[in-house]
Amino acid sequence: MTDRPLLMIPGPVEIADEVLAAASIRPPSHLAPDFKAAFSRALKAMRQVWRADDTHQPFVVAGSGTLAMEAAATNLVDPGEPVLVVNAGLFGDRMAEMLRRRGAIVHQVGSRPGGTPPLEEVDAALADHRPKVLFVTHVDTSTGVRSDAQGILALARRHGALSVVDGVCATAGEPLEQGAWGADVVLTASQKAIGLPPGLALWVASPAALAARRALTVPPPMVLDWLQWLPILEAYEAEANSYFATPSTTLIPALDVGLASLLADGMPAVWARHQRAADACRAAWDAMGLVLVADSPANTLSALSWPDRVDAGALPRIAARGAIVAGGLHPALRSTTFRVGHMGDVTRHPGRVRRAVAAVGLGLRDAGGDVDVDAGLRAFDAHV
Ligand SMILES: *Cc1c(COP(=O)(O)O)cnc(C)c1O
């Protein structure tokens, strides 16, 4: 490991050497036998990572998480149909705007930044509005808050609504069981807790979600259309030739390697190491006098208030101490907060997470903050 600063933002993240090697190949043909075999393995692995059975369909499309969101918004809802967005921050706002542009009747339940809407309010909104689809952000990356995805999905099922989980900052970092919890779509992007370079939109759809697409009156834009992609993905899973739009022939082999390594550890162990890294970081923040924005903080990132006398001018000082962290993102918190990602491969290496914690503490101190770095590191060490 060199002295380069660690990339500790909420995506893109540090990637494993084996994933880097898999992505660093001369781009093969999209019809090359090895490529088709890697694509097939990656699709099968997605079901296991998402904890979905063979009736569920994985999708891999070149793009980012936002593309997966837009695909969900346009494949499940016809103009004029009611939907409910359980909105915990910036990405809930984005989802609601996409649905509005689709012509849906958008109902929302929200909360102050850092909170999540209470289950009773979600329940009441489902009863009042009878939405066709409920959309929830598992981890809102603008405040670092984690939703009670399992509880919300149970309510959606009880009210007969389809459900979409924006797992972009959560999938593989936070426990989620798509099959057992009854999520119809769980979407993410390659550059977050999955631990790849940016460039792939990933989602898994249930049979009910696919049936809802088939029943649409107004088809989605062609490149976002699940039914356009479905035969392509089925062909790749069977290692057969197909073409609709060129897949990323370098990132998909990296996806194969990345997902295989998650499954070699086992998802419960992967979730547990994210939990351990997050617990150690939170103990360190607390000992350094740093305050989290979220009531129920995610295991994949920490959104923290700047300490007294410090602002975003500290970001380069933190980088100079060895970790690139992110500024605020939520419109109401942009100037008062910063965010540290702790997801993906780095959670396999507690020493690297510790380096990032030290860099945050030292950088804040360099910037004039009153931060007890040693106390922070002692608290960190007590947790790993
Ligand atoms: C990062 C993120 C997105 C957007 O993903 P992109 O890959 O940047 O398009 C959407 N939702 C959540 C919760 C995210 O964290």
Side-chain angles (χ1 to χ4, degrees):
M1 178 112 214
T2 63
D3 287 342
R4 69 180 173 77
L6 292 164
L7 184 57
M8 301 296 283
I9 63 175
V13 299
E14 289 287 314
I15 62 173
D17 291 344
E18 67 211 18
V19 170
L20 179 62
S24 306
I25 52 170
R26 191 172 290 283
S29 161
H30 62 292
L31 305 178
D34 286 355
F35 175 70
K36 288 185 290 186
F39 206 155
S40 176
R41 285 192 300 269
L43 291 167
K44 292 183 166 76
M46 277 177 74
R47 289 196 190 87
Q48 291 177 267
V49 170
W50 268 245
R51 318 277 272 193
D53 65 20
D54 284 352
T55 66
H56 289 70
Q57 179 61 48
F59 290 81
V60 178
V61 175
S64 79
T66 303
L67 181 141
M69 293 169 71
E70 191 100 64
T74 53
N75 278 266
L76 289 174
V77 205
D78 263 322
E81 291 185 316
V83 295
L84 178 67
V85 176
V86 182
N87 189 336
L90 185 99
F91 291 102
D93 291 344
R94 177 175 295 185
M95 196 75 244
E97 176 60 16
M98 287 172 164
L99 289 159
R100 250 179 245 118
R101 290 181 184 206
R102 174 69 179 164
I105 315 280
V106 181
H107 302 283
Q108 298 198 60
V109 285
S111 67
R112 57 161 197 83
T116 51
L119 286 183
E120 307 76 68
E121 278 181 33
V122 176
D123 194 22
L126 284 162
D128 287 352
H129 304 304
R130 318 291 317 157
K132 181 183 187 186
V133 191
L134 172 147
F135 294 80
V136 59
T137 313
H138 195 178
V139 168
D140 196 288
T141 322
S142 68
T143 68
V145 75
R146 177 181 48 223
S147 305
D148 175 1
Q150 187 174 11
I152 291 168
L153 290 166
L155 290 175
R157 279 216 284 199
R158 189 174 325 141
H159 289 273
L162 293 167
S163 54
V164 175
V165 178
D166 172 353
V168 179
C169 205
T171 303
E174 304 281 356
L176 188 125
E177 310 262 357
Q178 180 167 8
W181 296 5
D184 289 297
V185 178
V186 178
L187 62 91
T188 191
S190 50
Q191 79 278 16
K192 303 226 182 165
I194 293 275
L196 269 77
L200 295 178
L202 307 168
W203 66 93
V204 175
S206 73
L210 290 169
R213 161 61 192 97
R214 290 198 175 89
L216 283 187
T217 309
V218 179
M222 201 161 158
V223 74
L224 298 176
D225 190 347
W226 295 351
L227 294 187
Q228 197 69 49
W229 287 105
L230 184 61
I232 306 302
L233 294 158
E234 287 172 342
Y236 271 116
E237 192 160 353
E239 301 184 41
N241 285 353
S242 66
Y243 168 73
F244 163 52
T246 309
S248 172
T249 59
T250 51
L251 289 176
I252 287 166
L255 181 66
D256 171 35
V257 169
L259 296 180
S261 114
L262 293 177
L263 293 172
D265 289 350
M267 293 317 294
V270 174
W271 298 329
R273 71 169 138 82
H274 281 82
Q275 176 83 52
R276 275 195 305 280
D279 284 342
C281 286
R282 289 191 281 257
W285 309 142
D286 194 46
M288 293 195 288
L290 298 173
V291 180
L292 287 159
V293 174
D295 310 334
S296 48
N299 287 341
T300 49
L301 83 155
S302 297
L304 299 155
S305 297
W306 291 115
D308 287 346
R309 297 187 300 281
V310 180
D311 61 20
L315 292 171
R317 294 180 190 271
I318 296 171
R321 289 293 195 165
I324 298 166
V325 301
L329 182 63
H330 191 287
L333 304 170
R334 201 159 278 156
S335 63
T336 56
T337 60
F338 66 107
R339 296 169 305 134
V340 182
H342 32 77
M343 66 184 118
D345 183 64
V346 80
T347 61
R348 274 208 188 90
H349 307 282
R352 296 184 195 167
V353 182
R354 188 183 193 275
R355 261 179 63 202
V357 167
V360 168
L362 293 168
L364 291 172
R365 213 174 60 189
D366 294 345
D370 179 15
V371 171
D372 187 341
V373 183
D374 291 334
L377 292 177
R378 275 197 305 275
F380 185 93
D381 292 338
H383 267 271
V384 288

